Amino acid sequence: MTRIDDLHYMPEFVKNKGKVIYPSEESYGNVISEWATLLQRQYRKGLIPLFITGSGVSVPVVPTIFDIVKKLRELYNKKKNKESLVTLNKDIEELFKMLHDLSERGKKDRSIIARLLNSFQENSVLKDEWQQLNKWLFDEILKASPTAFHQGLADIYEELNAVCLTLNFDGLLIREFVQYRSIVEHRKRAFSLPTVEECEQFFLRTYNHGEKESEREFLEVQIRGDILYIECNAAGYCPQKGTGKERSIWASIGSFSDKPDEGKTEIIGQKLLQCPSCGEPGISFLSFPGSYKKEKDMQNMLSIIWRFLAFRAGSVTVVGMSGEWDPLIVAFLGDLLSEREIPLLVVDNKPEATEQKEYPYIIRELVKPDTHYAAAVGVDANSFMRVLKEKLSACCLPTCDYKIEFNRQATDDSYWYQKVQSIDISGVADEEKAKLEYIRKSINQEFSYLEDNLIIDKLKLSEQLNRFAQLGLKSYWLGTKADPAKYHNRYNHSIGVMKIASYLYDRAIANSGRKENLCEKQFLRLAALLHDVGHLPFSHLIESVFKELNWKPAGYMESYSHVLQTNDKILEFFETEDLKKKLESLNYTVKDLINLVNGCFGVGYLDALINSSVDADKIDYVFRDTDSTGRRISLSPIQFLKDITNGLTITPESYFAFSGVSAIAAQQLLETRQHLYQNLYLQPGILILEGIVKLIIKTYFVHFLNLKNDKLLGDITYDQKDYPDLGDYKIRYSIKSLNDLLTEATLSNNDNFELAIVNLMFTKIKACETILNTSFYEGLENGFKKLNHINNEDRLKALEDNMLYKKLKGQRKVIAEIIRDVEFRMPGAAIIELRKLPEYLSAADKRKEIDRSDGTKTFAECILVPDGSPDSWTPTSKAAKAISDSSFGISSPEEHAVYLYPLSGNLDNSYFRQTLNLFDKMLNKKGVASFSNV
């Protein structure tokens, strides 16, 4: 989802989208001023301003790669002249000549430079020259001091939680932190991270006991790794020697105790070269892009960035990087800007061009095409930072000016109220009593005015979520609809999710020693309330209908999801100026709210609470569904609430960390959820009945869809000009027809509206009986009678006794296509349903694996759990691993259960037997193995 509505506050930037702006232009200062405001707005939300820096930020204080090549040439010629040789090395001579010829034509080639460096590095005859080069480069780097840009960026790190991905090897930003700055008498803790392992270790860290949130650590990610590395060269034995595990030159920068005063560079250089194991000086070498290994290393680094950092970015500022040497970085940025829909500002000292092709590569690819919200400024890094710092100092965002008071009594949804009020605290120890009292008070926290008067009323009155059963028709078929105390709907569930999310948030904030943020808490509670607002009657079943009909939303690769309707509904909610202003007074936008509902806002613990593998939604429905259907589970809701927060903290990188008791509780929740899918949501009889419902809905949609001369969508008739995507139009029409039927189904609150809609649909279908295939209609009518007849578990069991079960191994997509083909060829003969339990870990749509142009396909992480098997977790186990890397993330084998039910109700029916034979033949033809046939 997008957060482009932040640009509502950036009119000058939007006006200059796709352009290069210079200091002489009037809009230059305004654009940077708006950029400064954007960075502050992101900080308020907990998002990260991401900087990417190239060699342009260190020029001229640090040698460039061209300076290095020039020095190599000098050393090479000196040796050649000293030994009176015409040619010292033909390959090197040829590479120098190629570079010279390219330079004469104003061109560059990074692969030639990489080959030249490697040739020197691997040539034993030139070993002394290579060491001289490294000594010279060491001295030049160590003599350099951080520039005004580095100093300003360090300030933005401290003030706004910025993070930098660098392509440089000078370590100037890290040195600014650990050598040039101090708090009282302590240096900053800062890390230069050049490898995947070091990055992962940093991002997965948690607070140590007694550590405060204010004790921050800073990082700079060496995304390209093109830095000086050190290899141990000890004469004797050393565990680091010959391992191939080189270390970054800046690995030990934190051990420096003083500022690098003049005259100490040699001592500092010696320290940097020392092997941490044996203390002997190592050998340095320069690893530069161009080789396959270096490109692969960069791709691995990008995978880590996608997992732990990219989704947290709210903007990108690229400074001093042309992109010519790093097409993978440009591809990464293109994916990031598209996937996250965030703005980009490129700072380049020489962006002039007379033709499009002459612009720096990054401007040609990301700014000038005008596809992203991107602009460029033609200025050097130091000048840009000076202006940006001035604008940041002058910018003063208003504080959260909306008074938030949770003081309005809640009368709806008694589920959690009854659970906590029923706690017997007589005879309980004082400490335990205090914990139970806290749960009681927190779960039953009163509502705010914004929630009670503006949101909840709309959910009930205009959206009618109280009419949609949380379990759809399952409530009716299981015989639970007649009991008002157990019957539950999406409206009650939404309030329950808000209560759970609020409770977990409060405990995590308290456990982590963070300050209370009422604006953030209100934002979270609004997302929880609205997370299901887009659900239609029949909920996920409707999604299956559109998928089986192969109707897809316009511009959407995947099938229809209720997420799309939720997004539209939230936008409609906040169309009113009053609601929109109240949300903005919290310092959030409507699109921020949509992003959070979709689990991709960017603040890990908020995303985890609303849309993750262990979120408030799952907690509420697991307990609410089991309670309403009489299913027994080992989890006690009150004990679970105590346990899930016992060890739940927020990490320095804003992820949720489940440690000890909370991790065990999270594991139990996931296992209980799987149990419910197997024994409730995907119970064989339920699957068949839902298959009948889908057949009726599909028949209704297809036969009553009229594309001619009929005003179907308000005052709009179908027109290819208005709706070029026919599938999208069909979905919109079908949604409208569902809402029309819902209006007709005026029943009392205790009745099942989904069943009423099915009855209305079949009544309309029956009027068209003469145009339907006779066998199909008879089967459909038999199925319709079953839907109304089955209203308790005994009758559901009788249905299950008259079905066949097959266990298949193969691709789910292939099996689904076979089922669709068989049902099309033998209409009305059988309901065939494919069952596969969901992945143990579910994730937000935006976090699913996708193939990107930079070669990566990893998704974002927001939850950490202990290492090892969950069976071995104890109350002292500490969160140390991303949940997707735990044993939870192991995918199940491609084994599927298929259930076949004759609509005639007779397994010996000849029409059904023909269908079964056809199904078996098609399985054999497609190579799908069958393990059982019961």
Side-chain angles (χ1 to χ4, degrees):
M1 296 286 40
T2 177
R3 58 172 59 90
I4 290 301
D5 57 348
D6 269 335
L7 298 182
H8 170 72
Y9 304 95
M10 304 175 67
E12 201 71 29
F13 179 85
V14 172
K15 186 173 73 175
N16 286 279
K17 175 188 172 190
K19 298 178 182 178
V20 179
I21 315 157
Y22 298 94
S24 59
E25 297 180 48
E26 184 179 349
S27 58
Y28 174 79
N30 293 332
V31 166
I32 298 183
S33 179
E34 290 176 351
W35 198 253
T37 303
L38 175 69
L39 300 188
Q40 290 192 339
R41 287 179 60 81
Q42 292 167 359
Y43 171 70
R44 287 275 186 90
K45 299 173 185 179
L47 301 176
I48 288 176
L50 190 63
F51 283 75
I52 299 181
T53 59
S55 60
V57 303
S58 300
V59 173
V61 299
V62 173
T64 67
I65 192 64
F66 302 106
D67 295 327
I68 293 172
V69 171
K70 182 180 178 181
K71 184 67 176 180
L72 272 178
R73 184 64 186 258
E74 292 175 4
L75 294 170
Y76 178 83
N77 288 338
K78 184 176 180 181
K79 183 178 182 69
K80 189 172 67 170
N81 293 336
K82 181 179 180 180
E83 299 184 10
S84 302
L85 298 173
V86 176
T87 300
L88 182 59
N89 183 291
K90 289 184 178 180
D91 291 337
I92 290 178
E93 291 275 0
E94 182 62 26
L95 290 171
F96 274 131
K97 183 178 184 304
M98 291 168 66
L99 283 177
H100 179 267
D101 292 343
L102 286 171
S103 177
E104 289 290 307
R105 288 180 285 161
K107 296 184 177 181
K108 305 167 185 175
D109 191 320
R110 65 183 184 141
S111 62
I112 296 176
I113 293 178
R115 286 166 58 192
L116 183 64
L117 291 172
N118 289 333
S119 296
F120 264 85
Q121 197 162 261
E122 296 167 2
N123 193 314
S124 59
V125 177
L126 294 168
K127 181 179 179 181
D128 291 340
E129 282 66 34
W130 182 250
Q131 287 301 306
Q132 290 177 48
L133 171 77
N134 280 284
K135 185 180 184 307
W136 166 80
L137 188 55
F138 267 136
D139 291 342
E140 292 297 313
I141 290 174
L142 294 176
K143 283 189 296 184
S145 298
T147 66
F149 174 83
H150 296 103
Q151 294 166 9
L153 184 55
D155 290 337
I156 297 175
Y157 260 60
E158 295 186 273
E159 296 166 9
L160 303 177
N161 287 343
V163 171
C164 180
L165 311 182
T166 186
L167 304 171
N168 300 339
F169 49 75
D170 50 48
L172 288 176
L173 179 61
I174 294 303
R175 291 162 65 190
E176 169 66 22
F177 277 117
V178 301
Q179 289 183 266
Y180 291 84
R181 291 176 180 241
S182 62
I183 296 181
V184 190
E185 295 179 353
H186 299 284
R187 287 168 293 113
K188 302 283 187 180
R189 298 179 63 189
F191 303 88
S192 179
L193 307 179
T195 67
V196 167
E197 293 76 16
E198 287 173 286
C199 284
E200 193 167 44
Q201 185 178 9
F202 183 89
F203 289 124
L204 295 180
R205 76 198 191 288
T206 56
Y207 286 118
N208 295 320
H209 180 69
E211 189 175 6
K212 298 179 181 178
E213 181 192 358
S214 59
E215 296 175 355
R216 291 172 51 205
E217 298 169 321
F218 303 92
L219 79 154
E220 177 186 59
V221 180
Q222 295 282 352
I223 195 170
R224 188 167 69 190
D226 60 332
I227 59 177
L228 288 167
Y229 284 99
I230 312 299
E231 249 185 3
C232 181
N233 191 39
Y237 169 76
C238 176
Q240 300 290 328
K241 184 179 178 180
T243 61
K245 292 183 178 180
E246 62 274 0
R247 62 186 178 87
S248 164
I249 185 177
W250 306 116
S252 58
I253 188 70
S255 65
F256 294 172
S257 57
D258 301 310
K259 292 183 179 181
D261 298 328
E262 188 176 352
K264 289 188 177 182
T265 56
E266 185 175 347
I267 298 174
I268 293 173
Q270 291 173 359
K271 285 185 178 181
L272 289 171
L273 284 171
Q274 282 180 348
C275 173
S277 296
C278 67
E280 293 292 319
I283 298 176
S284 66
F285 64 93
L286 185 67
S287 179
F288 195 75
S291 66
Y292 171 79
K293 179 181 181 302
K294 180 52 60 180
E295 296 297 303
K296 190 65 179 175
D297 288 345
M298 186 187 297
Q299 196 174 82
N300 292 336
M301 289 290 285
L302 289 174
S303 292
I304 288 294
I305 296 303
W306 276 113
R307 288 187 64 189
F308 296 107
L309 186 61
F311 82 108
R312 298 161 59 199
S315 68
V316 183
T317 310
V318 176
V319 188
M321 185 193 86
S322 69
E324 305 289 346
W325 304 86
D326 302 284
L328 265 183
I329 304 298
V330 177
F332 158 76
L333 277 173
D335 288 329
L336 179 62
L337 298 180
S338 298
E339 194 170 324
R340 302 290 298 146
E341 293 194 357
I342 55 179
L344 165 72
L345 185 66
V346 177
V347 181
D348 195 293
N349 193 29
K350 297 178 180 179
E352 299 87 354
T354 55
E355 298 181 26
Q356 170 70 22
K357 64 181 180 180
E358 294 180 5
Y359 280 107
Y361 182 69
I362 188 170
I363 294 178
R364 295 200 311 266
E365 292 294 307
L366 300 180
V367 178
K368 298 304 293 182
D370 205 18
T371 47
H372 306 290
Y373 277 92
V377 289
V379 69
D380 66 274
N382 291 334
S383 298
F384 166 75
M385 183 55 72
R386 185 180 65 253
V387 177
L388 180 63
K389 286 291 294 176
E390 289 174 359
K391 300 298 183 181
L392 283 169
S393 299
C395 177
C396 184
L397 290 180
T399 57
C400 177
D401 57 4
Y402 179 67
K403 189 176 182 181
I404 304 170
E405 292 181 346
F406 298 102
N407 57 5
R408 302 181 71 85
Q409 292 292 332
T411 55
D412 292 320
D413 182 37
S414 60
Y415 176 76
W416 287 107
Y417 177 81
Q418 291 177 350
K419 289 296 177 186
V420 297
Q421 290 301 121
S422 64
I423 303 174
D424 183 8
I425 59 175
S426 60
V428 177
D430 289 343
E431 184 178 350
E432 185 67 14
K433 184 184 295 184
K435 292 179 181 178
L436 294 174
E437 287 286 6
Y438 180 88
I439 294 175
R440 179 178 293 176
K441 180 180 178 181
S442 183
I443 288 292
N444 291 324
Q445 184 175 45
E446 295 169 325
F447 292 179
S448 70
Y449 172 82
L450 180 58
E451 296 159 0
D452 190 23
N453 273 41
L454 301 180
I455 303 297
I456 290 177
D457 285 351
K458 288 173 73 75
L459 289 179
K460 181 184 281 188
L461 299 176
S462 60
E463 300 306 325
Q464 305 181 76
L465 287 189
N466 55 316
R467 303 176 85 188
F468 300 162
Q470 175 69 16
L471 288 173
L473 284 164
K474 298 180 186 72
S475 300
Y476 178 84
W477 296 323
L478 294 171
T480 58
K481 86 172 186 73
D483 186 348
K486 290 186 177 181
Y487 177 74
H488 62 302
N489 53 51
R490 292 210 171 270
Y491 169 73
N492 293 329
H493 165 66
S494 297
I495 295 177
V497 172
M498 183 187 71
K499 290 181 177 182
I500 297 298
S502 188
Y503 169 69
L504 295 182
Y505 174 83
D506 286 342
R507 293 308 305 145
I509 292 292
N511 291 347
S512 307
R514 291 186 170 227
K515 294 180 181 178
E516 184 180 48
N517 185 335
L518 286 181
C519 289
E520 183 178 70
K521 182 177 178 179
Q522 179 67 93
F523 174 59
L524 171 74
R525 285 165 65 93
L526 291 180
L529 272 176
L530 295 171
H531 83 284
D532 268 357
V533 71
H535 273 288
L536 298 165
F538 308 104
S539 188
H540 299 291
L541 187 141
I542 284 292
E543 296 173 5
S544 298
V545 166
F546 290 144
K547 185 173 183 179
E548 291 173 16
L549 290 171
N550 202 29
W551 295 353
K552 297 179 180 180
Y556 199 64
M557 297 297 292
E558 302 299 326
S559 301
Y560 171 84
S561 166
H562 72 279
V563 169
L564 300 175
Q565 184 80 352
T566 296
N567 297 345
D568 289 343
K569 286 289 184 182
I570 293 176
L571 287 171
E572 289 177 17
F573 255 57
F574 289 90
E575 280 181 349
T576 62
E577 199 62 28
D578 183 43
L579 262 181
K580 188 176 182 181
K581 283 184 177 179
K582 283 183 169 57
L583 180 62
E584 290 177 350
S585 70
L586 300 174
N587 294 315
Y588 295 99
T589 67
V590 179
K591 293 300 174 59
D592 288 329
L593 193 57
I594 290 173
N595 285 331
L596 180 54
V597 169
N598 291 320
C600 58
F601 173 63
V603 178
Y605 57 89
L606 296 180
D607 286 333
L609 282 167
I610 299 298
N611 198 332
S612 71
S613 299
V614 187
D615 57 31
D617 174 49
K618 294 174 181 60
I619 293 172
D620 184 82
Y621 77 60
V622 162
F623 289 106
R624 195 179 294 264
D625 291 358
T626 52
D627 186 75
S628 68
T629 57
R631 294 298 194 270
R632 291 187 176 182
I633 57 174
S634 59
L635 291 182
S636 158
I638 303 305
Q639 187 62 44
F640 173 82
L641 290 178
K642 288 172 55 183
D643 291 346
I644 195 69
T645 56
N646 185 1
L648 175 65
T649 57
I650 299 170
T651 76
E653 298 304 301
S654 295
Y655 311 130
F656 251 172
F658 288 96
S659 298
V661 175
S662 66
I664 296 170
Q667 174 206 7
Q668 292 171 339
L669 180 77
L670 290 172
E671 290 181 345
T672 302
R673 175 175 170 266
Q674 288 293 92
H675 171 79
L676 286 180
Y677 267 98
Q678 191 163 7
N679 297 283
L680 176 59
Y681 308 134
L682 300 180
Q683 185 178 340
I686 296 290
L687 273 180
I688 294 301
L689 291 170
E690 288 186 337
I692 297 172
V693 173
K694 285 190 293 182
L695 183 59
I696 292 174
I697 295 174
K698 284 187 289 186
T699 304
Y700 179 82
F701 283 169
V702 170
H703 283 274
F704 286 88
L705 179 67
N706 187 350
L707 300 179
K708 290 184 179 181
N709 303 320
D710 191 9
K711 293 183 178 181
L712 302 174
L713 295 176
D715 295 327
I716 304 174
T717 58
Y718 174 72
D719 185 283
Q720 190 171 4
K721 181 180 177 182
D722 295 325
Y723 294 95
D725 191 312
L726 185 57
D728 186 66
Y729 178 82
K730 290 175 179 178
I731 289 174
R732 290 173 180 269
Y733 162 75
S734 300
I735 290 173
K736 182 180 183 299
S737 67
L738 276 176
N739 289 328
D740 290 343
L741 290 171
L742 185 63
T743 302
E744 290 185 53
T746 52
L747 305 176
S748 65
N749 287 334
N750 288 337
D751 284 314
N752 192 295
F753 279 89
E754 281 89 347
L755 187 62
I757 291 174
V758 172
N759 280 307
L760 282 171
M761 282 183 171
F762 189 76
T763 299
K764 295 177 185 293
I765 291 172
K766 193 171 183 180
C768 305
E769 175 185 352
T770 54
I771 66 171
L772 298 175
N773 176 284
T774 302
S775 299
F776 173 77
Y777 178 77
E778 289 176 354
L780 194 66
E781 187 173 37
N782 287 334
F784 174 72
K785 292 176 180 177
K786 289 289 184 185
L787 297 181
N788 286 275
H789 172 71
I790 296 174
N791 57 9
N792 58 57
E793 296 220 37
D794 289 337
R795 290 179 176 179
L796 186 63
K797 178 61 178 174
L799 175 77
E800 292 176 345
D801 290 339
N802 284 284
M803 66 173 62
L804 291 180
Y805 161 78
K806 285 180 176 289
K807 186 178 179 182
L808 305 176
K809 186 172 184 179
Q811 291 186 9
R812 182 180 177 85
K813 183 178 179 181
V814 173
I815 298 172
E817 288 174 351
I818 292 173
I819 292 173
R820 187 165 59 244
D821 288 346
V822 170
E823 289 182 334
F824 180 76
R825 295 187 193 187
M826 308 294 288
I831 295 295
I832 309 175
E833 286 296 316
L834 169 64
R835 183 180 89 162
K836 181 179 184 294
L837 293 178
E839 296 294 332
Y840 207 76
L841 299 179
S842 63
D845 285 349
K846 283 289 183 180
R847 297 206 181 126
K848 291 180 180 176
E849 288 194 354
I850 58 175
D851 293 316
R852 301 189 180 95
S853 55
D854 61 11
T856 63
K857 61 178 183 178
T858 51
F859 51 86
E861 305 282 3
C862 63
I863 292 177
L864 308 185
V865 295
D867 203 355
S869 169
D871 294 336
S872 66
W873 292 351
T874 69
T876 59
S877 298
K878 187 176 181 180
K881 177 174 284 190
I883 194 170
S884 63
D885 287 336
S886 68
S887 58
F888 290 146
I890 301 174
S891 299
S892 57
E894 287 290 305
E895 292 185 359
H896 310 281
V898 174
Y899 299 95
L900 301 94
Y901 176 78
L903 283 172
S904 65
N906 187 348
L907 290 173
D908 296 323
N909 179 274
S910 60
Y911 195 29
F912 174 71
R913 302 309 300 184
Q914 292 175 41
T915 303
L916 185 60
N917 290 335
L918 176 63
F919 185 58
D920 288 337
K921 288 179 181 178
M922 294 189 73
L923 290 176
N924 291 331
K925 184 177 180 180
K926 295 289 185 178
V928 178
S930 178
F931 292 96
S932 61
N933 187 358
V934 182

